Amino acid sequence: MNEPQSFASSSLPRHLARGALGFGALTGSVLLIPAVGPAGLLLAPLGLLALRGCPLCWTIGLLQTISRGRLRRSCVDGRCELSVAGHVQPPEQGAGKQLRSIG
């Protein structure tokens, strides 16, 4: 089974720095148009690269970075559940205590 693509960074400060660079470059590319013309748009690809595609991709990565190691996804017979990592519950008690059902 293929793992979903991860947009997470290795640390929260690194992810926030990438966000500042990405959003700064995107904002700068638009704000520089009156001063330098369309050449200001050359910053846009740098911003998109720093955000790993788009602002939504960066936001998803932020959530993944924050939850990394705290949540665990497990799939059995086509049904996936999200649970707190390291917290083991017997099957009869765990059925109603998962955080949410996926798929």
Side-chain angles (χ1 to χ4, degrees), residues 5-93:
Q5 184 175 1
S6 176
F7 294 102
S9 295
S10 59
S11 70
L12 186 59
R14 181 175 289 185
H15 196 83
L16 294 175
R18 275 192 27 249
L21 177 67
F23 286 113
L26 287 177
T27 302
S29 72
V30 173
L31 293 178
L32 286 174
I33 291 174
V36 297
L41 294 176
L42 293 174
L43 283 175
L46 174 66
L48 293 175
L49 182 67
L51 296 176
R52 293 190 184 166
C54 65
L56 183 59
C57 299
W58 181 85
T59 305
I60 291 169
L62 177 63
L63 296 174
Q64 288 177 342
T65 301
I66 291 170
S67 70
R68 178 173 277 169
R70 295 182 185 168
L71 299 175
R72 178 165 296 145
R73 178 180 170 191
S74 59
C75 298
V76 177
D77 295 329
R79 181 165 185 208
C80 297
E81 293 180 347
L82 192 61
S83 60
V84 178
H87 190 268
V88 179
Q89 297 176 353
E92 63 276 357
Q93 293 177 354

